[in-house]
């Protein structure tokens, strides 16, 4: 038998069930206006018994890991270097500063609240970069831990909820403060977590605000690569200090393979050599991979575990979100 078929055969039921639930999540999202990643997560959690035992378990495990990495790698097709340079150096520096500030604040607050540095990196990166997609990407680069998937799920739920609230409130906020359409667009793009909510909030103000908000948001997405590299480096240092018995040849690479693929696809896309149909197909595939992975992660989690997180993680993400908004608003005024 073909080796690929031999590998796929025991995993096919799990792949299929994750795909079907992802389709259902997409349907619910489009018809009721809910964040698609949040819907994928909740529907997956409703079917968590499938991951405990049975024929679906192997496919669910692979979807939560390998398919996730494929989806993150294909995110590189969403941005080009021309988009970055077209914005100018000053706004780019402002975006970089805002992302660095949010992640740094997340790490400090996490340590102050008694959590590991990695939880601060996860929540700060999700808030500062691109919401649920960033949470999944950073989670893939973090070291394995019994609470890793629980922390990832909580971060996805929190960032999706806060992003939806921001989509409704931030346009009103910018109007009340008398910001111009350009200033409002920059604020929306630099503060709201998920891309879909940025688009919705930006174009609810004006076309100019929507265009600028989308561009600024893509600059934040580009920050995913250096942040993943940082997280991978910290992970390698942590594993070395823990003395987990790995030999030098077994140490994780400084930059994970999916992050390298992300960079390569971004550079290739920047050359303009890829047909638009290929780029669109890659972007669509990325979204479906991330949705399926979110379903699989949801299936591996019990709801009762999520209900016991306490108030500290919630406060952490709310503070990060409000601090990012205040930081960006201060930069705009300066």
């Amino acid at each position: 038998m073909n080796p690929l078929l031999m590998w796929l055969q025991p995993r096919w039921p799990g792949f299929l069930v994750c795909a079907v639930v992802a389709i259902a999540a997409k349907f619910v999202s489009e018809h009721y206006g809910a964040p698609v990643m949040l819907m994928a997560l909740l529907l997956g959690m409703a079917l968590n018994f499938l991951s405990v035992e049975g024929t679906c378990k192997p496919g669910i495990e692979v979807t939560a890991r390998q398919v996730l990495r494929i989806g993150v790698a294909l995110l590189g097709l969403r941005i080009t270097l021309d988009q970055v340079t077209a914005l100018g150096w000053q706004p780019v520096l402002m975006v970089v500063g805002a992302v660095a500030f949010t992640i740094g604040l997340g790490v400090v607050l996490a340590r102050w609240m008694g959590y590991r540095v990695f939880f601060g990196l996860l929540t700060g990166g999700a808030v500062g970069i691109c919401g649920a997609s960033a949470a999944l990407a950073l989670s893939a680069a973090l070291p394995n831990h019994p609470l890793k998937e629980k922390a990832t799920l909580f971060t996805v739920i929190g960032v999706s909820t806060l992003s939806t609230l921001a989509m409704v409130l931030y346009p009103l906020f910018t109007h009340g403060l008398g910001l111009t359409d350009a200033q409002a667009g920059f604020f929306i793009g630099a503060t709201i977590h998920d891309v879909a909510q940025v688009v919705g909030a930006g174009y609810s103000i004006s076309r100019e605000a929507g265009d600028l908000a989308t561009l600024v948001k893509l600059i934040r997405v580009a920050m995913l690569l250096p942040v993943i590299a940082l997280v991978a480096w910290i992970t390698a240092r942590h594993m070395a200090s823990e003395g987990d018995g790995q030999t030098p040849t077994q140490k994780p690479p400084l930059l994970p393979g999916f992050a390298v693929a992300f960079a390569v696809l971004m550079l290739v896309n920047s050359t303009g050599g890829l047909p638009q149909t290929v780029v669109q197909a890659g972007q669509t595939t990325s979204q479906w991979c991330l949705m399926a992975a979110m379903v699989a992660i949801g299936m591996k989690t019990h709801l009762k575990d999520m209900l016991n997180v306490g108030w500290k993680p919630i406060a952490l993400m709310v503070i990060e979100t409000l601090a990012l908004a205040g930081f960006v608003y201060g930069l705009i005024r300066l």
Side-chain angles (χ1 to χ4, degrees), residues 278-304:
V278 174
V279 174
Q280 291 176 350
Q283 293 174 352
T284 302
T285 302
S286 173
Q287 184 184 32
W288 282 106
C289 285
L290 291 177
M291 284 191 295
M294 196 70 257
V295 169
I297 292 174
M299 288 179 177
K300 296 176 65 178
T301 301
H302 296 276
L303 182 60
K304 64 179 181 180

PDB file of all heavy atoms in Angstrom, residues 278-304:
ATOM      1  N   VAL A 278      -3.846  31.856  -7.399  1.00  0.00           N
ATOM      2  CA  VAL A 278      -3.058  31.039  -6.479  1.00  0.00           C
ATOM      3  C   VAL A 278      -3.013  31.686  -5.098  1.00  0.00           C
ATOM      4  O   VAL A 278      -3.157  31.006  -4.070  1.00  0.00           O
ATOM      5  CB  VAL A 278      -1.626  30.836  -7.024  1.00  0.00           C
ATOM      6  CG1 VAL A 278      -0.753  30.117  -5.995  1.00  0.00           C
ATOM      7  CG2 VAL A 278      -1.650  30.062  -8.324  1.00  0.00           C
ATOM      8  N   VAL A 279      -2.824  33.000  -5.078  1.00  0.00           N
ATOM      9  CA  VAL A 279      -2.794  33.723  -3.801  1.00  0.00           C
ATOM     10  C   VAL A 279      -4.123  33.589  -3.076  1.00  0.00           C
ATOM     11  O   VAL A 279      -4.171  33.299  -1.865  1.00  0.00           O
ATOM     12  CB  VAL A 279      -2.458  35.216  -4.032  1.00  0.00           C
ATOM     13  CG1 VAL A 279      -2.570  35.992  -2.728  1.00  0.00           C
ATOM     14  CG2 VAL A 279      -1.054  35.353  -4.604  1.00  0.00           C
ATOM     15  N   GLN A 280      -5.221  33.783  -3.796  1.00  0.00           N
ATOM     16  CA  GLN A 280      -6.541  33.675  -3.180  1.00  0.00           C
ATOM     17  C   GLN A 280      -6.812  32.260  -2.690  1.00  0.00           C
ATOM     18  O   GLN A 280      -7.390  32.057  -1.615  1.00  0.00           O
ATOM     19  CB  GLN A 280      -7.613  34.117  -4.174  1.00  0.00           C
ATOM     20  CG  GLN A 280      -7.585  35.610  -4.473  1.00  0.00           C
ATOM     21  CD  GLN A 280      -8.597  36.009  -5.535  1.00  0.00           C
ATOM     22  OE1 GLN A 280      -9.209  35.171  -6.194  1.00  0.00           O
ATOM     23  NE2 GLN A 280      -8.790  37.315  -5.710  1.00  0.00           N
ATOM     24  N   ALA A 281      -6.379  31.270  -3.488  1.00  0.00           N
ATOM     25  CA  ALA A 281      -6.566  29.882  -3.072  1.00  0.00           C
ATOM     26  C   ALA A 281      -5.777  29.584  -1.802  1.00  0.00           C
ATOM     27  O   ALA A 281      -6.261  28.890  -0.898  1.00  0.00           O
ATOM     28  CB  ALA A 281      -6.143  28.935  -4.199  1.00  0.00           C
ATOM     29  N   GLY A 282      -4.551  30.120  -1.720  1.00  0.00           N
ATOM     30  CA  GLY A 282      -3.745  29.923  -0.530  1.00  0.00           C
ATOM     31  C   GLY A 282      -4.345  30.587   0.699  1.00  0.00           C
ATOM     32  O   GLY A 282      -4.341  30.014   1.801  1.00  0.00           O
ATOM     33  N   GLN A 283      -4.885  31.783   0.515  1.00  0.00           N
ATOM     34  CA  GLN A 283      -5.525  32.486   1.626  1.00  0.00           C
ATOM     35  C   GLN A 283      -6.756  31.734   2.118  1.00  0.00           C
ATOM     36  O   GLN A 283      -6.991  31.615   3.324  1.00  0.00           O
ATOM     37  CB  GLN A 283      -5.893  33.906   1.196  1.00  0.00           C
ATOM     38  CG  GLN A 283      -4.693  34.804   0.931  1.00  0.00           C
ATOM     39  CD  GLN A 283      -5.100  36.154   0.366  1.00  0.00           C
ATOM     40  OE1 GLN A 283      -6.249  36.385   0.027  1.00  0.00           O
ATOM     41  NE2 GLN A 283      -4.140  37.050   0.248  1.00  0.00           N
ATOM     42  N   THR A 284      -7.541  31.220   1.176  1.00  0.00           N
ATOM     43  CA  THR A 284      -8.729  30.451   1.542  1.00  0.00           C
ATOM     44  C   THR A 284      -8.355  29.164   2.259  1.00  0.00           C
ATOM     45  O   THR A 284      -8.962  28.789   3.271  1.00  0.00           O
ATOM     46  CB  THR A 284      -9.563  30.125   0.293  1.00  0.00           C
ATOM     47  OG1 THR A 284      -9.936  31.339  -0.366  1.00  0.00           O
ATOM     48  CG2 THR A 284     -10.820  29.352   0.659  1.00  0.00           C
ATOM     49  N   THR A 285      -7.321  28.488   1.741  1.00  0.00           N
ATOM     50  CA  THR A 285      -6.847  27.256   2.378  1.00  0.00           C
ATOM     51  C   THR A 285      -6.357  27.525   3.793  1.00  0.00           C
ATOM     52  O   THR A 285      -6.612  26.745   4.714  1.00  0.00           O
ATOM     53  CB  THR A 285      -5.713  26.628   1.546  1.00  0.00           C
ATOM     54  OG1 THR A 285      -6.181  26.373   0.218  1.00  0.00           O
ATOM     55  CG2 THR A 285      -5.242  25.328   2.172  1.00  0.00           C
ATOM     56  N   SER A 286      -5.664  28.649   3.966  1.00  0.00           N
ATOM     57  CA  SER A 286      -5.184  29.030   5.290  1.00  0.00           C
ATOM     58  C   SER A 286      -6.340  29.181   6.265  1.00  0.00           C
ATOM     59  O   SER A 286      -6.297  28.669   7.399  1.00  0.00           O
ATOM     60  CB  SER A 286      -4.397  30.348   5.212  1.00  0.00           C
ATOM     61  OG  SER A 286      -4.061  30.806   6.506  1.00  0.00           O
ATOM     62  N   GLN A 287      -7.386  29.863   5.833  1.00  0.00           N
ATOM     63  CA  GLN A 287      -8.529  30.075   6.716  1.00  0.00           C
ATOM     64  C   GLN A 287      -9.183  28.744   7.109  1.00  0.00           C
ATOM     65  O   GLN A 287      -9.500  28.522   8.280  1.00  0.00           O
ATOM     66  CB  GLN A 287      -9.564  30.974   6.042  1.00  0.00           C
ATOM     67  CG  GLN A 287     -10.748  31.304   6.948  1.00  0.00           C
ATOM     68  CD  GLN A 287     -11.817  32.122   6.242  1.00  0.00           C
ATOM     69  OE1 GLN A 287     -12.012  31.977   5.038  1.00  0.00           O
ATOM     70  NE2 GLN A 287     -12.505  32.969   6.986  1.00  0.00           N
ATOM     71  N   TRP A 288      -9.349  27.853   6.138  1.00  0.00           N
ATOM     72  CA  TRP A 288      -9.974  26.566   6.435  1.00  0.00           C
ATOM     73  C   TRP A 288      -9.092  25.701   7.339  1.00  0.00           C
ATOM     74  O   TRP A 288      -9.596  25.002   8.226  1.00  0.00           O
ATOM     75  CB  TRP A 288     -10.316  25.829   5.144  1.00  0.00           C
ATOM     76  CG  TRP A 288     -11.552  26.362   4.485  1.00  0.00           C
ATOM     77  CD1 TRP A 288     -11.625  27.140   3.366  1.00  0.00           C
ATOM     78  CD2 TRP A 288     -12.904  26.175   4.919  1.00  0.00           C
ATOM     79  NE1 TRP A 288     -12.940  27.452   3.070  1.00  0.00           N
ATOM     80  CE2 TRP A 288     -13.740  26.867   4.004  1.00  0.00           C
ATOM     81  CE3 TRP A 288     -13.480  25.488   5.977  1.00  0.00           C
ATOM     82  CZ2 TRP A 288     -15.125  26.889   4.129  1.00  0.00           C
ATOM     83  CZ3 TRP A 288     -14.870  25.507   6.111  1.00  0.00           C
ATOM     84  CH2 TRP A 288     -15.669  26.199   5.196  1.00  0.00           C
ATOM     85  N   CYS A 289      -7.788  25.743   7.124  1.00  0.00           N
ATOM     86  CA  CYS A 289      -6.880  24.992   7.990  1.00  0.00           C
ATOM     87  C   CYS A 289      -6.956  25.487   9.428  1.00  0.00           C
ATOM     88  O   CYS A 289      -6.989  24.685  10.374  1.00  0.00           O
ATOM     89  CB  CYS A 289      -5.444  25.097   7.472  1.00  0.00           C
ATOM     90  SG  CYS A 289      -5.090  24.116   6.010  1.00  0.00           S
ATOM     91  N   LEU A 290      -6.976  26.807   9.599  1.00  0.00           N
ATOM     92  CA  LEU A 290      -7.044  27.374  10.943  1.00  0.00           C
ATOM     93  C   LEU A 290      -8.385  27.062  11.602  1.00  0.00           C
ATOM     94  O   LEU A 290      -8.443  26.787  12.808  1.00  0.00           O
ATOM     95  CB  LEU A 290      -6.823  28.885  10.885  1.00  0.00           C
ATOM     96  CG  LEU A 290      -5.404  29.329  10.500  1.00  0.00           C
ATOM     97  CD1 LEU A 290      -5.336  30.853  10.395  1.00  0.00           C
ATOM     98  CD2 LEU A 290      -4.375  28.828  11.500  1.00  0.00           C
ATOM     99  N   MET A 291      -9.467  27.105  10.818  1.00  0.00           N
ATOM    100  CA  MET A 291     -10.773  26.764  11.374  1.00  0.00           C
ATOM    101  C   MET A 291     -10.818  25.301  11.803  1.00  0.00           C
ATOM    102  O   MET A 291     -11.309  24.973  12.891  1.00  0.00           O
ATOM    103  CB  MET A 291     -11.881  27.052  10.356  1.00  0.00           C
ATOM    104  CG  MET A 291     -12.231  28.511  10.198  1.00  0.00           C
ATOM    105  SD  MET A 291     -13.747  28.764   9.240  1.00  0.00           S
ATOM    106  CE  MET A 291     -13.265  28.129   7.636  1.00  0.00           C
ATOM    107  N   ALA A 292     -10.306  24.406  10.954  1.00  0.00           N
ATOM    108  CA  ALA A 292     -10.296  22.979  11.299  1.00  0.00           C
ATOM    109  C   ALA A 292      -9.436  22.727  12.529  1.00  0.00           C
ATOM    110  O   ALA A 292      -9.796  21.921  13.404  1.00  0.00           O
ATOM    111  CB  ALA A 292      -9.791  22.159  10.113  1.00  0.00           C
ATOM    112  N   ALA A 293      -8.289  23.406  12.617  1.00  0.00           N
ATOM    113  CA  ALA A 293      -7.424  23.252  13.785  1.00  0.00           C
ATOM    114  C   ALA A 293      -8.109  23.757  15.044  1.00  0.00           C
ATOM    115  O   ALA A 293      -7.988  23.160  16.122  1.00  0.00           O
ATOM    116  CB  ALA A 293      -6.109  24.000  13.556  1.00  0.00           C
ATOM    117  N   MET A 294      -8.853  24.856  14.908  1.00  0.00           N
ATOM    118  CA  MET A 294      -9.570  25.390  16.063  1.00  0.00           C
ATOM    119  C   MET A 294     -10.646  24.422  16.528  1.00  0.00           C
ATOM    120  O   MET A 294     -10.862  24.232  17.734  1.00  0.00           O
ATOM    121  CB  MET A 294     -10.206  26.735  15.677  1.00  0.00           C
ATOM    122  CG  MET A 294     -10.660  27.573  16.865  1.00  0.00           C
ATOM    123  SD  MET A 294      -9.267  28.220  17.805  1.00  0.00           S
ATOM    124  CE  MET A 294      -9.246  27.144  19.223  1.00  0.00           C
ATOM    125  N   VAL A 295     -11.317  23.779  15.576  1.00  0.00           N
ATOM    126  CA  VAL A 295     -12.295  22.741  15.910  1.00  0.00           C
ATOM    127  C   VAL A 295     -11.618  21.612  16.684  1.00  0.00           C
ATOM    128  O   VAL A 295     -12.118  21.159  17.721  1.00  0.00           O
ATOM    129  CB  VAL A 295     -12.961  22.187  14.632  1.00  0.00           C
ATOM    130  CG1 VAL A 295     -13.772  20.931  14.951  1.00  0.00           C
ATOM    131  CG2 VAL A 295     -13.867  23.239  14.001  1.00  0.00           C
ATOM    132  N   ALA A 296     -10.470  21.164  16.173  1.00  0.00           N
ATOM    133  CA  ALA A 296      -9.755  20.049  16.809  1.00  0.00           C
ATOM    134  C   ALA A 296      -9.306  20.410  18.227  1.00  0.00           C
ATOM    135  O   ALA A 296      -9.422  19.595  19.151  1.00  0.00           O
ATOM    136  CB  ALA A 296      -8.558  19.650  15.953  1.00  0.00           C
ATOM    137  N   ILE A 297      -8.803  21.625  18.400  1.00  0.00           N
ATOM    138  CA  ILE A 297      -8.379  22.059  19.737  1.00  0.00           C
ATOM    139  C   ILE A 297      -9.580  22.117  20.676  1.00  0.00           C
ATOM    140  O   ILE A 297      -9.501  21.736  21.846  1.00  0.00           O
ATOM    141  CB  ILE A 297      -7.670  23.419  19.653  1.00  0.00           C
ATOM    142  CG1 ILE A 297      -6.333  23.269  18.914  1.00  0.00           C
ATOM    143  CG2 ILE A 297      -7.415  23.988  21.043  1.00  0.00           C
ATOM    144  CD1 ILE A 297      -5.622  24.570  18.647  1.00  0.00           C
ATOM    145  N   GLY A 298     -10.715  22.585  20.156  1.00  0.00           N
ATOM    146  CA  GLY A 298     -11.941  22.599  20.950  1.00  0.00           C
ATOM    147  C   GLY A 298     -12.364  21.204  21.362  1.00  0.00           C
ATOM    148  O   GLY A 298     -12.808  20.974  22.498  1.00  0.00           O
ATOM    149  N   MET A 299     -12.237  20.248  20.454  1.00  0.00           N
ATOM    150  CA  MET A 299     -12.606  18.866  20.756  1.00  0.00           C
ATOM    151  C   MET A 299     -11.735  18.262  21.850  1.00  0.00           C
ATOM    152  O   MET A 299     -12.153  17.328  22.539  1.00  0.00           O
ATOM    153  CB  MET A 299     -12.500  18.012  19.492  1.00  0.00           C
ATOM    154  CG  MET A 299     -13.579  18.278  18.462  1.00  0.00           C
ATOM    155  SD  MET A 299     -13.378  17.245  16.996  1.00  0.00           S
ATOM    156  CE  MET A 299     -14.832  17.725  16.047  1.00  0.00           C
ATOM    157  N   LYS A 300     -10.526  18.776  21.998  1.00  0.00           N
ATOM    158  CA  LYS A 300      -9.603  18.229  22.989  1.00  0.00           C
ATOM    159  C   LYS A 300      -9.754  18.879  24.358  1.00  0.00           C
ATOM    160  O   LYS A 300      -8.960  18.609  25.267  1.00  0.00           O
ATOM    161  CB  LYS A 300      -8.162  18.393  22.500  1.00  0.00           C
ATOM    162  CG  LYS A 300      -7.851  17.601  21.233  1.00  0.00           C
ATOM    163  CD  LYS A 300      -6.452  17.882  20.736  1.00  0.00           C
ATOM    164  CE  LYS A 300      -5.419  17.409  21.719  1.00  0.00           C
ATOM    165  NZ  LYS A 300      -4.040  17.624  21.233  1.00  0.00           N
ATOM    166  N   THR A 301     -10.747  19.741  24.508  1.00  0.00           N
ATOM    167  CA  THR A 301     -10.890  20.502  25.745  1.00  0.00           C
ATOM    168  C   THR A 301     -12.263  20.258  26.372  1.00  0.00           C
ATOM    169  O   THR A 301     -13.264  20.134  25.678  1.00  0.00           O
ATOM    170  CB  THR A 301     -10.719  21.999  25.471  1.00  0.00           C
ATOM    171  OG1 THR A 301      -9.424  22.218  24.915  1.00  0.00           O
ATOM    172  CG2 THR A 301     -10.834  22.797  26.760  1.00  0.00           C
ATOM    173  N   HIS A 302     -12.282  20.213  27.688  1.00  0.00           N
ATOM    174  CA  HIS A 302     -13.527  20.065  28.425  1.00  0.00           C
ATOM    175  C   HIS A 302     -13.997  21.439  28.904  1.00  0.00           C
ATOM    176  O   HIS A 302     -13.218  22.235  29.413  1.00  0.00           O
ATOM    177  CB  HIS A 302     -13.333  19.139  29.632  1.00  0.00           C
ATOM    178  CG  HIS A 302     -12.976  17.734  29.249  1.00  0.00           C
ATOM    179  ND1 HIS A 302     -13.923  16.795  28.912  1.00  0.00           N
ATOM    180  CD2 HIS A 302     -11.778  17.121  29.134  1.00  0.00           C
ATOM    181  CE1 HIS A 302     -13.325  15.651  28.610  1.00  0.00           C
ATOM    182  NE2 HIS A 302     -12.020  15.827  28.740  1.00  0.00           N
ATOM    183  N   LEU A 303     -15.286  21.688  28.767  1.00  0.00           N
ATOM    184  CA  LEU A 303     -15.841  22.988  29.149  1.00  0.00           C
ATOM    185  C   LEU A 303     -15.609  23.290  30.620  1.00  0.00           C
ATOM    186  O   LEU A 303     -15.352  24.428  30.994  1.00  0.00           O
ATOM    187  CB  LEU A 303     -17.344  23.027  28.824  1.00  0.00           C
ATOM    188  CG  LEU A 303     -18.069  24.336  29.125  1.00  0.00           C
ATOM    189  CD1 LEU A 303     -17.457  25.487  28.326  1.00  0.00           C
ATOM    190  CD2 LEU A 303     -19.553  24.208  28.820  1.00  0.00           C
ATOM    191  N   LYS A 304     -15.676  22.275  31.473  1.00  0.00           N
ATOM    192  CA  LYS A 304     -15.504  22.520  32.906  1.00  0.00           C
ATOM    193  C   LYS A 304     -14.117  23.080  33.216  1.00  0.00           C
ATOM    194  O   LYS A 304     -13.945  23.835  34.179  1.00  0.00           O
ATOM    195  CB  LYS A 304     -15.745  21.238  33.693  1.00  0.00           C
ATOM    196  CG  LYS A 304     -14.748  20.124  33.402  1.00  0.00           C
ATOM    197  CD  LYS A 304     -15.059  18.897  34.244  1.00  0.00           C
ATOM    198  CE  LYS A 304     -14.037  17.785  33.972  1.00  0.00           C
ATOM    199  NZ  LYS A 304     -14.316  16.574  34.772  1.00  0.00           N
TER     200      LYS A 304
END
